[in-house]
Amino acid sequence: MRAPSSDHVNVVVHEFGGKGRPLLLSHATGFHGYAYLPIADALDDRFTSYALDYRGHGDTPRSGQSGPDDWQVDWDRYGDDAVAAARAVVADGGSDGDVRGRLTAFGHSMGGAALLMAAHRDPDLFGTIVIFEPIVFPPEGDRPGEGPGEPPNLVAGARRRRATFDSFDAALQNYASKPPMMSFDPDVLRLYVAHGFRPSPEGVRLKCDPEHEARTFETGGLHRTWDLLPEITTRVVVVTGALDGLGPAAIAEGIADRLPNATFLSRPEFDHFGPFVHPAAFADLIAEHAT
């Protein structure tokens, strides 16, 4: 499906199949919806799963750019994309007909923040949202990607990211040989490459340009979703992995405290890439807490 969003962007929403009420999967920065297909497959007897590609990621183009060097990134527009995708899923109805108010969603990192924005804008859309280490920071304090040491400088790392390879196989072999992706579930890694690159004169090229990823990290602390948390009435399960001192794991409990209808869950056996390393465990987590 293609869901109309702001700035004349049509958000691509992938239907992964299954049976039961609908589940919307919302991806992290630099990734795309298909990276969560193994989670959907593990839930296909309980949910009809969908996943969106945020603008500039996967098959959804960047917003209204005037040229190749227009790299403006506004996280509120990611919220627009989440609203558009959720409404499209509700309209589609999954296998259950009218599902407004019973849509379940899972958001990872950036995708968790965008789902919270969507829940604030349209409180009737979701029944339950499960979010893993969402990027929702208070107005003051540490931001992801700032400074040396902990957390890693995500912005500089994204700008150094290799954008092209000779082939899909070359890209897959590269990622499988170095952290963090060498720890990913093999199906997740294969899907990330197969749907995260497109053919190009160089061989294959990342769909999410490294500069777009860098700008997304760079602006992750600028949106004001933190201030809106007390107004979000949707049931939310906030999950965090191992504490790393700074970054999204450290602030997850604070997010849950500010939400009026939230449950906080600590799973220290996971790091921030947990959904990619342990997709079956995250499928169980979603199923357990979305009922």
Side-chain angles (χ1 to χ4, degrees):
M1 296 186 290
R2 293 187 180 272
S5 186
S6 56
D7 302 325
H8 307 289
V9 169
N10 287 317
V11 176
V12 173
V13 183
H14 308 282
E15 183 178 356
F16 291 154
K19 60 184 179 181
R21 66 184 189 275
L23 168 69
L24 178 63
L25 301 164
S26 178
H27 68 77
T29 300
F31 290 87
H32 51 74
Y34 264 96
Y36 300 82
L37 178 57
I39 292 178
D41 285 345
L43 292 169
D44 67 358
D45 60 338
R46 288 163 282 187
F47 294 93
T48 301
S49 295
Y50 302 77
L52 76 152
D53 292 340
Y54 285 99
R55 60 187 65 201
H57 296 74
D59 293 329
T60 301
R62 284 191 287 129
S63 60
Q65 67 265 33
S66 58
D69 297 323
D70 181 5
W71 293 104
Q72 296 184 27
V73 173
D74 181 348
W75 277 57
D76 285 334
R77 305 291 75 78
Y78 290 140
D80 294 344
D81 295 348
V83 171
R87 287 175 176 168
V89 169
V90 165
D92 187 67
S95 60
D96 252 352
D98 182 10
V99 296
R100 192 170 182 83
R102 295 191 295 113
L103 174 60
T104 300
F106 171 72
H108 179 198
S109 195
M110 177 190 83
L115 289 177
L116 289 173
M117 295 179 196
H120 181 264
R121 297 174 194 181
D122 192 341
D124 295 328
L125 267 178
F126 302 100
T128 300
I129 296 174
V130 181
I131 48 178
F132 182 65
E133 298 192 354
I135 307 299
V136 179
F137 283 77
E140 293 81 29
D142 296 294
R143 297 288 185 265
E146 287 185 351
E150 298 291 333
N153 194 324
L154 300 176
V155 176
R159 288 200 167 104
R160 291 193 302 267
R161 196 173 313 287
R162 183 175 173 181
T164 63
F165 291 89
D166 293 339
S167 65
F168 288 100
D169 285 343
L172 183 61
Q173 291 174 15
N174 175 76
Y175 292 129
S177 67
K178 61 182 68 171
M181 291 189 181
M182 64 186 300
S183 299
F184 283 16
D185 178 271
D187 285 339
V188 172
L189 185 56
R190 176 182 56 81
L191 288 160
Y192 168 72
V193 171
H195 295 275
F197 284 81
R198 61 168 56 91
S200 71
E202 306 93 337
V204 294
R205 174 175 286 273
L206 274 170
K207 292 178 180 178
C208 180
D209 193 283
E211 183 61 21
H212 185 78
E213 182 184 5
R215 295 287 178 97
T216 300
F217 284 133
E218 206 165 39
T219 55
L222 301 181
H223 63 93
R224 287 294 176 258
T225 308
W226 177 269
D227 297 332
L228 304 176
L229 294 176
E231 302 173 12
I232 297 173
T233 57
T234 302
R235 178 175 179 263
V236 181
V237 180
V238 183
V239 187
T240 188
L243 293 177
D244 56 4
L246 299 174
I251 203 63
E253 189 169 7
I255 293 170
D257 287 343
R258 288 180 62 80
L259 288 163
N261 190 15
T263 299
F264 175 70
L265 180 64
S266 176
R267 297 293 298 267
E269 68 271 31
F270 301 135
D271 66 13
H272 191 63
F273 295 107
F276 302 140
V277 180
H278 304 286
F282 272 80
D284 290 342
L285 186 154
I286 293 166
E288 177 183 356
H289 292 280
T291 56

